[in-house]
Amino acid sequence: MSTPSLSVPGSSAAAAETVPQARFDAIPLLLIVVLALAAWPLVGSTSSWATLTIAGLAMGLIIFVIASGLTLVFGLMDVLNFGHGVFIALGAFVATTVMAAMNTAGGLAVSPSLAANLAAVAVAALAGIVSAAALGLVFERVLVRPVYGMHLKQILITMGGMIIGEELIKLVWGPQMVPLQPPESLRGALVIGDVAVEKFRLVAVVVGLLVFAGLLWVLNRTKLGLLIRAGVQDREMVESLGYRIRRLFVAVFVAGSGLAGLGGVLWGLYQQSVVPQIGAQVNTLIFIVIIIGGLGSTLGCFAGALLVGLMANYCGFVAPKAALFSNIALMVAVLLWRPQGLYPVSHR
C-alpha cells in the first residue's frame, strides 16, 4: 500500500526562494563601453572616433558571425574544428561567382535600386551558406565523426582537411585574388554631420545582430535548443527518451559551417576581395575571440568579437605598428583578469 505524501502549504514557494538565482554579469559588456571611451581622447577628433567606433563594431560583428559557428560546434559538440577556415573560404568564393553572374547587364547587383542590391547580397549570402553547409556535412561524416572525443586527433585531421580544401579551391577558382565588390547602392559612405559611415558596414551590423539574436533564441527558447543542451549534459538519457542525438549534433555542425560561409561572404565584401587563404588568415582572429569570450559561450563570443573589432580599428589609427599584436595583448589582459574568459561555460 502506498503511503500518501504530505505537502506543507507554501513549501514549494519556500524551496524556490532558497534556490540561488544566477545574476547576469554585465561587466564584460561594460568593458566594450570602457574601451570605446578610453580610446576617445587618444583619437582626438570626435568625428574620427565615431567613424572608427562604427567601423570597429561592424568588423566585430562580422567576426562574430564567422566565429559563432565554431563556438557553437565546440560549445555543443566538444569538437575542436581547426578546419573552420575552409567553410569561410568556400562561402566567399561561391559568393564571387554568384555576384559576378548578377553583375551582368540587367542583374540585381548593377541595378540602381537599393532593394535589388540588398537582394543580390542576400542571394550571394544564401549561396555561400548552402555551399558551406553542404561541405560541413561531408566534413563531419568523413573527418570529424571518427575522432569524436579525441581533441588532438581532431586538431590534426581538421587542419589537414582545411589544407586540402584550400588546394581544391585553387583548382576551381585559381590561386589569384578575386574581387568581391558590394553592389552599387552599398558602395561609398553615408555622411552624418562630420561622421562618415560606410554603407556596407551598416548591413554587416544588422546581419550580425540578427545572427546573435537568432542564436540566443534557438538555444534558450526553443525545444531544439533544449534537446541539444540536454544531449551535451546527458546523451544517454536523451536517447532513452527516443531522440536521435547524433542527428542533432550533425545538424549543429552543418549549421556552424553555414554560419562560417555567411561570415566568409560578409568578410569578402568587407575586404572587397577574396584569396584562397582567407580562412587561414581569419582563423587567428576567430580563436582569439573564442578564447577571450570563453570556450563555447555565444554571449562571450559576441563580446569578444566586439572588443577585437574595436581594438583593431583604434590601434590601427592611433598606433599602426602596435595593431599587429594589439588583439593578442587584449587576449592576454582578459585572461589575466578572467582565466576562463569573459563568459565561461559552467559545464566545462
Side-chain angles (χ1 to χ4, degrees):
M1 186 172 70
S2 61
T3 303
S5 59
L6 299 177
S7 60
V8 180
S11 60
S12 299
E17 291 178 359
T18 61
V19 177
Q21 299 295 322
R23 294 182 178 180
F24 177 72
D25 184 6
I27 294 177
L29 295 179
L30 290 176
L31 186 61
I32 300 170
V33 179
V34 170
L35 175 61
L37 293 177
W40 195 343
L42 296 176
V43 173
S45 169
T46 301
S47 59
S48 297
W49 174 82
T51 300
L52 289 171
T53 300
I54 296 172
L57 292 175
M59 178 182 175
L61 285 167
I62 294 175
I63 296 172
F64 166 72
V65 173
I66 299 172
S68 62
L70 184 58
T71 200
L72 185 69
V73 169
F74 180 74
L76 299 179
M77 299 176 63
D78 197 28
V79 172
L80 287 171
N81 181 16
F82 275 60
H84 195 69
V86 71
F87 309 128
I88 301 169
L90 179 62
F93 271 97
V94 169
T96 63
T97 301
V98 174
M99 290 297 292
M102 291 188 292
N103 273 325
T104 57
L108 293 175
V110 295
S111 171
S113 168
L114 176 60
N117 289 172
L118 290 173
V121 173
V123 171
L126 181 61
I129 293 171
V130 172
S131 58
L135 178 61
L137 179 61
V138 176
F139 208 83
E140 191 277 338
R141 287 182 177 274
V142 177
L143 298 180
V144 177
R145 184 171 296 183
V147 293
Y148 276 128
M150 297 176 279
H151 286 163
L152 180 58
K153 291 184 178 180
Q154 288 171 3
I155 293 171
L156 295 175
I157 198 168
T158 54
M159 285 184 69
M162 185 175 71
I163 294 171
I164 294 171
E166 284 184 1
E167 296 304 315
L168 292 176
I169 286 174
K170 290 178 184 178
L171 286 177
V172 177
W173 284 278
Q176 295 83 14
M177 180 183 70
V178 179
L180 182 57
Q181 294 282 342
E184 197 66 35
S185 298
L186 300 179
R187 298 176 190 175
L190 293 175
V191 179
I192 306 172
D194 294 331
V195 180
V197 182
E198 290 186 21
K199 297 176 183 177
F200 180 74
R201 294 179 192 264
L202 295 177
V203 175
V205 168
V206 173
V207 173
L209 291 176
L210 288 175
V211 169
F212 176 60
L215 283 176
L216 290 184
W217 178 74
V218 170
L219 293 177
N220 298 313
R221 299 292 181 181
T222 66
K223 182 179 179 180
L224 176 62
L226 175 64
L227 286 174
I228 293 172
R229 288 185 287 114
V232 173
Q233 296 288 345
D234 194 337
R235 177 170 180 164
E236 290 76 12
M237 178 60 71
V238 177
E239 286 181 336
S240 68
L241 295 175
Y243 296 102
R244 297 183 179 182
I245 294 299
R246 179 178 292 276
R247 289 189 177 181
L248 287 176
F249 281 1
V250 171
V252 169
F253 195 93
V254 170
S257 304
L259 284 173
L262 172 61
V265 176
L266 294 175
W267 189 259
L269 289 168
Y270 177 80
Q271 298 288 338
Q272 300 189 14
S273 63
V274 177
V275 293
Q277 298 81 18
I278 184 175
Q281 293 170 356
V282 180
N283 257 358
T284 303
L285 279 178
I286 294 173
F287 282 103
I288 288 175
V289 164
I290 292 175
I291 292 170
I292 288 175
L295 297 176
S297 169
T298 301
L299 180 58
C301 178
F302 178 77
L306 294 184
L307 286 171
V308 165
L310 290 172
M311 179 67 78
N313 277 268
Y314 291 144
C315 283
F317 182 83
V318 176
K321 293 182 179 179
L324 296 174
F325 58 87
S326 60
N327 286 316
I328 296 177
L330 174 65
M331 179 181 68
V332 171
V334 169
L335 293 182
L336 287 174
W337 172 43
R338 293 192 173 186
Q340 292 184 322
L342 297 177
Y343 288 103
V345 178
S346 58
H347 69 268
R348 297 205 177 281

mmCIF file with all atom_site columns, all heavy atoms in Angstrom, residues 17 20 24 94 103 166-167 174 198 227 243 245 250 262 286:
data_model
loop_
_atom_site.group_PDB
_atom_site.id
_atom_site.type_symbol
_atom_site.label_atom_id
_atom_site.label_alt_id
_atom_site.label_comp_id
_atom_site.label_asym_id
_atom_site.label_entity_id
_atom_site.label_seq_id
_atom_site.pdbx_PDB_ins_code
_atom_site.Cartn_x
_atom_site.Cartn_y
_atom_site.Cartn_z
_atom_site.occupancy
_atom_site.B_iso_or_equiv
_atom_site.pdbx_formal_charge
_atom_site.auth_seq_id
_atom_site.auth_comp_id
_atom_site.auth_asym_id
_atom_site.auth_atom_id
_atom_site.pdbx_PDB_model_num
ATOM 1   N N   . GLU A 1 17  ? 12.432 29.865 -3.175  1.00 0.00 ? 17  GLU A N   1
ATOM 2   C CA  . GLU A 1 17  ? 13.155 31.042 -2.709  1.00 0.00 ? 17  GLU A CA  1
ATOM 3   C C   . GLU A 1 17  ? 14.575 30.713 -2.267  1.00 0.00 ? 17  GLU A C   1
ATOM 4   O O   . GLU A 1 17  ? 15.457 31.554 -2.305  1.00 0.00 ? 17  GLU A O   1
ATOM 5   C CB  . GLU A 1 17  ? 12.383 31.686 -1.552  1.00 0.00 ? 17  GLU A CB  1
ATOM 6   C CG  . GLU A 1 17  ? 11.073 32.335 -1.994  1.00 0.00 ? 17  GLU A CG  1
ATOM 7   C CD  . GLU A 1 17  ? 10.309 32.917 -0.820  1.00 0.00 ? 17  GLU A CD  1
ATOM 8   O OE1 . GLU A 1 17  ? 10.812 32.786 0.315   1.00 0.00 ? 17  GLU A OE1 1
ATOM 9   O OE2 . GLU A 1 17  ? 9.220  33.477 -1.040  1.00 0.00 ? 17  GLU A OE2 1
ATOM 10  N N   . PRO A 1 20  ? 19.391 29.513 -5.323  1.00 0.00 ? 20  PRO A N   1
ATOM 11  C CA  . PRO A 1 20  ? 20.097 30.741 -5.712  1.00 0.00 ? 20  PRO A CA  1
ATOM 12  C C   . PRO A 1 20  ? 19.843 31.077 -7.175  1.00 0.00 ? 20  PRO A C   1
ATOM 13  O O   . PRO A 1 20  ? 19.913 30.214 -8.049  1.00 0.00 ? 20  PRO A O   1
ATOM 14  C CB  . PRO A 1 20  ? 21.573 30.394 -5.479  1.00 0.00 ? 20  PRO A CB  1
ATOM 15  C CG  . PRO A 1 20  ? 21.636 28.899 -5.528  1.00 0.00 ? 20  PRO A CG  1
ATOM 16  C CD  . PRO A 1 20  ? 20.324 28.411 -5.008  1.00 0.00 ? 20  PRO A CD  1
ATOM 17  N N   . PHE A 1 24  ? 22.903 38.041 -13.954 1.00 0.00 ? 24  PHE A N   1
ATOM 18  C CA  . PHE A 1 24  ? 23.589 38.315 -15.215 1.00 0.00 ? 24  PHE A CA  1
ATOM 19  C C   . PHE A 1 24  ? 24.801 39.199 -14.949 1.00 0.00 ? 24  PHE A C   1
ATOM 20  O O   . PHE A 1 24  ? 24.713 40.208 -14.248 1.00 0.00 ? 24  PHE A O   1
ATOM 21  C CB  . PHE A 1 24  ? 22.636 38.995 -16.195 1.00 0.00 ? 24  PHE A CB  1
ATOM 22  C CG  . PHE A 1 24  ? 23.298 39.376 -17.485 1.00 0.00 ? 24  PHE A CG  1
ATOM 23  C CD1 . PHE A 1 24  ? 23.648 38.409 -18.410 1.00 0.00 ? 24  PHE A CD1 1
ATOM 24  C CD2 . PHE A 1 24  ? 23.584 40.704 -17.772 1.00 0.00 ? 24  PHE A CD2 1
ATOM 25  C CE1 . PHE A 1 24  ? 24.254 38.754 -19.603 1.00 0.00 ? 24  PHE A CE1 1
ATOM 26  C CE2 . PHE A 1 24  ? 24.189 41.063 -18.952 1.00 0.00 ? 24  PHE A CE2 1
ATOM 27  C CZ  . PHE A 1 24  ? 24.521 40.077 -19.869 1.00 0.00 ? 24  PHE A CZ  1
ATOM 28  N N   . VAL A 1 94  ? 32.199 31.138 -53.487 1.00 0.00 ? 94  VAL A N   1
ATOM 29  C CA  . VAL A 1 94  ? 30.897 30.917 -54.130 1.00 0.00 ? 94  VAL A CA  1
ATOM 30  C C   . VAL A 1 94  ? 30.189 32.263 -54.325 1.00 0.00 ? 94  VAL A C   1
ATOM 31  O O   . VAL A 1 94  ? 29.557 32.507 -55.359 1.00 0.00 ? 94  VAL A O   1
ATOM 32  C CB  . VAL A 1 94  ? 30.042 29.952 -53.289 1.00 0.00 ? 94  VAL A CB  1
ATOM 33  C CG1 . VAL A 1 94  ? 28.599 29.937 -53.791 1.00 0.00 ? 94  VAL A CG1 1
ATOM 34  C CG2 . VAL A 1 94  ? 30.621 28.544 -53.346 1.00 0.00 ? 94  VAL A CG2 1
ATOM 35  N N   . ASN A 1 103 ? 26.267 40.705 -61.798 1.00 0.00 ? 103 ASN A N   1
ATOM 36  C CA  . ASN A 1 103 ? 26.858 41.951 -62.266 1.00 0.00 ? 103 ASN A CA  1
ATOM 37  C C   . ASN A 1 103 ? 26.701 42.135 -63.771 1.00 0.00 ? 103 ASN A C   1
ATOM 38  O O   . ASN A 1 103 ? 27.111 43.154 -64.320 1.00 0.00 ? 103 ASN A O   1
ATOM 39  C CB  . ASN A 1 103 ? 28.345 42.010 -61.904 1.00 0.00 ? 103 ASN A CB  1
ATOM 40  C CG  . ASN A 1 103 ? 28.567 42.589 -60.520 1.00 0.00 ? 103 ASN A CG  1
ATOM 41  O OD1 . ASN A 1 103 ? 27.849 43.475 -60.086 1.00 0.00 ? 103 ASN A OD1 1
ATOM 42  N ND2 . ASN A 1 103 ? 29.552 42.076 -59.820 1.00 0.00 ? 103 ASN A ND2 1
ATOM 43  N N   . GLU A 1 166 ? 41.667 24.142 -49.263 1.00 0.00 ? 166 GLU A N   1
ATOM 44  C CA  . GLU A 1 166 ? 42.255 25.314 -49.915 1.00 0.00 ? 166 GLU A CA  1
ATOM 45  C C   . GLU A 1 166 ? 42.818 24.961 -51.284 1.00 0.00 ? 166 GLU A C   1
ATOM 46  O O   . GLU A 1 166 ? 42.672 25.729 -52.250 1.00 0.00 ? 166 GLU A O   1
ATOM 47  C CB  . GLU A 1 166 ? 43.357 25.908 -49.033 1.00 0.00 ? 166 GLU A CB  1
ATOM 48  C CG  . GLU A 1 166 ? 42.857 26.691 -47.844 1.00 0.00 ? 166 GLU A CG  1
ATOM 49  C CD  . GLU A 1 166 ? 43.991 27.328 -47.068 1.00 0.00 ? 166 GLU A CD  1
ATOM 50  O OE1 . GLU A 1 166 ? 45.164 27.170 -47.486 1.00 0.00 ? 166 GLU A OE1 1
ATOM 51  O OE2 . GLU A 1 166 ? 43.717 27.978 -46.037 1.00 0.00 ? 166 GLU A OE2 1
ATOM 52  N N   . GLU A 1 167 ? 43.454 23.815 -51.382 1.00 0.00 ? 167 GLU A N   1
ATOM 53  C CA  . GLU A 1 167 ? 44.013 23.408 -52.671 1.00 0.00 ? 167 GLU A CA  1
ATOM 54  C C   . GLU A 1 167 ? 42.916 23.130 -53.688 1.00 0.00 ? 167 GLU A C   1
ATOM 55  O O   . GLU A 1 167 ? 43.056 23.447 -54.879 1.00 0.00 ? 167 GLU A O   1
ATOM 56  C CB  . GLU A 1 167 ? 44.899 22.167 -52.492 1.00 0.00 ? 167 GLU A CB  1
ATOM 57  C CG  . GLU A 1 167 ? 46.136 22.403 -51.631 1.00 0.00 ? 167 GLU A CG  1
ATOM 58  C CD  . GLU A 1 167 ? 46.994 23.537 -52.155 1.00 0.00 ? 167 GLU A CD  1
ATOM 59  O OE1 . GLU A 1 167 ? 47.229 23.575 -53.382 1.00 0.00 ? 167 GLU A OE1 1
ATOM 60  O OE2 . GLU A 1 167 ? 47.419 24.392 -51.355 1.00 0.00 ? 167 GLU A OE2 1
ATOM 61  N N   . GLY A 1 174 ? 41.314 29.251 -58.960 1.00 0.00 ? 174 GLY A N   1
ATOM 62  C CA  . GLY A 1 174 ? 42.663 29.740 -59.189 1.00 0.00 ? 174 GLY A CA  1
ATOM 63  C C   . GLY A 1 174 ? 43.288 30.291 -57.920 1.00 0.00 ? 174 GLY A C   1
ATOM 64  O O   . GLY A 1 174 ? 42.591 30.605 -56.952 1.00 0.00 ? 174 GLY A O   1
ATOM 65  N N   . GLU A 1 198 ? 30.498 53.805 -43.762 1.00 0.00 ? 198 GLU A N   1
ATOM 66  C CA  . GLU A 1 198 ? 30.374 53.024 -44.990 1.00 0.00 ? 198 GLU A CA  1
ATOM 67  C C   . GLU A 1 198 ? 29.044 52.279 -44.991 1.00 0.00 ? 198 GLU A C   1
ATOM 68  O O   . GLU A 1 198 ? 28.645 51.689 -43.982 1.00 0.00 ? 198 GLU A O   1
ATOM 69  C CB  . GLU A 1 198 ? 31.535 52.043 -45.113 1.00 0.00 ? 198 GLU A CB  1
ATOM 70  C CG  . GLU A 1 198 ? 32.873 52.712 -45.394 1.00 0.00 ? 198 GLU A CG  1
ATOM 71  C CD  . GLU A 1 198 ? 33.959 51.697 -45.662 1.00 0.00 ? 198 GLU A CD  1
ATOM 72  O OE1 . GLU A 1 198 ? 33.619 50.548 -46.020 1.00 0.00 ? 198 GLU A OE1 1
ATOM 73  O OE2 . GLU A 1 198 ? 35.140 52.040 -45.513 1.00 0.00 ? 198 GLU A OE2 1
ATOM 74  N N   . LEU A 1 227 ? 16.909 20.328 -26.399 1.00 0.00 ? 227 LEU A N   1
ATOM 75  C CA  . LEU A 1 227 ? 17.369 18.961 -26.664 1.00 0.00 ? 227 LEU A CA  1
ATOM 76  C C   . LEU A 1 227 ? 18.879 18.920 -26.882 1.00 0.00 ? 227 LEU A C   1
ATOM 77  O O   . LEU A 1 227 ? 19.559 18.000 -26.404 1.00 0.00 ? 227 LEU A O   1
ATOM 78  C CB  . LEU A 1 227 ? 16.642 18.404 -27.892 1.00 0.00 ? 227 LEU A CB  1
ATOM 79  C CG  . LEU A 1 227 ? 15.171 18.014 -27.702 1.00 0.00 ? 227 LEU A CG  1
ATOM 80  C CD1 . LEU A 1 227 ? 14.556 17.630 -29.042 1.00 0.00 ? 227 LEU A CD1 1
ATOM 81  C CD2 . LEU A 1 227 ? 15.047 16.865 -26.709 1.00 0.00 ? 227 LEU A CD2 1
ATOM 82  N N   . TYR A 1 243 ? 14.987 10.402 -28.727 1.00 0.00 ? 243 TYR A N   1
ATOM 83  C CA  . TYR A 1 243 ? 15.557 11.432 -29.601 1.00 0.00 ? 243 TYR A CA  1
ATOM 84  C C   . TYR A 1 243 ? 16.916 10.971 -30.124 1.00 0.00 ? 243 TYR A C   1
ATOM 85  O O   . TYR A 1 243 ? 17.709 10.377 -29.391 1.00 0.00 ? 243 TYR A O   1
ATOM 86  C CB  . TYR A 1 243 ? 15.719 12.757 -28.854 1.00 0.00 ? 243 TYR A CB  1
ATOM 87  C CG  . TYR A 1 243 ? 14.414 13.357 -28.411 1.00 0.00 ? 243 TYR A CG  1
ATOM 88  C CD1 . TYR A 1 243 ? 13.998 13.258 -27.089 1.00 0.00 ? 243 TYR A CD1 1
ATOM 89  C CD2 . TYR A 1 243 ? 13.594 14.028 -29.314 1.00 0.00 ? 243 TYR A CD2 1
ATOM 90  C CE1 . TYR A 1 243 ? 12.793 13.805 -26.668 1.00 0.00 ? 243 TYR A CE1 1
ATOM 91  C CE2 . TYR A 1 243 ? 12.387 14.575 -28.906 1.00 0.00 ? 243 TYR A CE2 1
ATOM 92  C CZ  . TYR A 1 243 ? 11.999 14.463 -27.586 1.00 0.00 ? 243 TYR A CZ  1
ATOM 93  O OH  . TYR A 1 243 ? 10.807 15.001 -27.180 1.00 0.00 ? 243 TYR A OH  1
ATOM 94  N N   . ILE A 1 245 ? 20.260 11.900 -30.891 1.00 0.00 ? 245 ILE A N   1
ATOM 95  C CA  . ILE A 1 245 ? 21.204 12.973 -30.606 1.00 0.00 ? 245 ILE A CA  1
ATOM 96  C C   . ILE A 1 245 ? 22.243 13.110 -31.709 1.00 0.00 ? 245 ILE A C   1
ATOM 97  O O   . ILE A 1 245 ? 22.682 14.217 -32.036 1.00 0.00 ? 245 ILE A O   1
ATOM 98  C CB  . ILE A 1 245 ? 21.885 12.735 -29.239 1.00 0.00 ? 245 ILE A CB  1
ATOM 99  C CG1 . ILE A 1 245 ? 20.846 12.852 -28.137 1.00 0.00 ? 245 ILE A CG1 1
ATOM 100 C CG2 . ILE A 1 245 ? 23.007 13.723 -29.000 1.00 0.00 ? 245 ILE A CG2 1
ATOM 101 C CD1 . ILE A 1 245 ? 20.187 14.205 -28.049 1.00 0.00 ? 245 ILE A CD1 1
ATOM 102 N N   . VAL A 1 250 ? 24.876 16.429 -35.807 1.00 0.00 ? 250 VAL A N   1
ATOM 103 C CA  . VAL A 1 250 ? 25.238 16.663 -37.201 1.00 0.00 ? 250 VAL A CA  1
ATOM 104 C C   . VAL A 1 250 ? 24.605 17.962 -37.695 1.00 0.00 ? 250 VAL A C   1
ATOM 105 O O   . VAL A 1 250 ? 25.242 18.762 -38.400 1.00 0.00 ? 250 VAL A O   1
ATOM 106 C CB  . VAL A 1 250 ? 24.795 15.477 -38.088 1.00 0.00 ? 250 VAL A CB  1
ATOM 107 C CG1 . VAL A 1 250 ? 24.979 15.806 -39.568 1.00 0.00 ? 250 VAL A CG1 1
ATOM 108 C CG2 . VAL A 1 250 ? 25.594 14.223 -37.738 1.00 0.00 ? 250 VAL A CG2 1
ATOM 109 N N   . LEU A 1 262 ? 28.432 32.189 -44.311 1.00 0.00 ? 262 LEU A N   1
ATOM 110 C CA  . LEU A 1 262 ? 27.857 33.539 -44.284 1.00 0.00 ? 262 LEU A CA  1
ATOM 111 C C   . LEU A 1 262 ? 28.917 34.557 -43.862 1.00 0.00 ? 262 LEU A C   1
ATOM 112 O O   . LEU A 1 262 ? 29.034 35.636 -44.465 1.00 0.00 ? 262 LEU A O   1
ATOM 113 C CB  . LEU A 1 262 ? 26.679 33.572 -43.307 1.00 0.00 ? 262 LEU A CB  1
ATOM 114 C CG  . LEU A 1 262 ? 26.077 34.951 -43.012 1.00 0.00 ? 262 LEU A CG  1
ATOM 115 C CD1 . LEU A 1 262 ? 25.535 35.601 -44.277 1.00 0.00 ? 262 LEU A CD1 1
ATOM 116 C CD2 . LEU A 1 262 ? 24.981 34.841 -41.949 1.00 0.00 ? 262 LEU A CD2 1
ATOM 117 N N   . ILE A 1 286 ? 39.593 34.420 -35.103 1.00 0.00 ? 286 ILE A N   1
ATOM 118 C CA  . ILE A 1 286 ? 38.493 33.611 -34.571 1.00 0.00 ? 286 ILE A CA  1
ATOM 119 C C   . ILE A 1 286 ? 38.862 33.010 -33.229 1.00 0.00 ? 286 ILE A C   1
ATOM 120 O O   . ILE A 1 286 ? 38.108 33.089 -32.248 1.00 0.00 ? 286 ILE A O   1
ATOM 121 C CB  . ILE A 1 286 ? 38.123 32.498 -35.574 1.00 0.00 ? 286 ILE A CB  1
ATOM 122 C CG1 . ILE A 1 286 ? 37.552 33.087 -36.858 1.00 0.00 ? 286 ILE A CG1 1
ATOM 123 C CG2 . ILE A 1 286 ? 37.116 31.543 -34.952 1.00 0.00 ? 286 ILE A CG2 1
ATOM 124 C CD1 . ILE A 1 286 ? 37.325 32.050 -37.927 1.00 0.00 ? 286 ILE A CD1 1
#
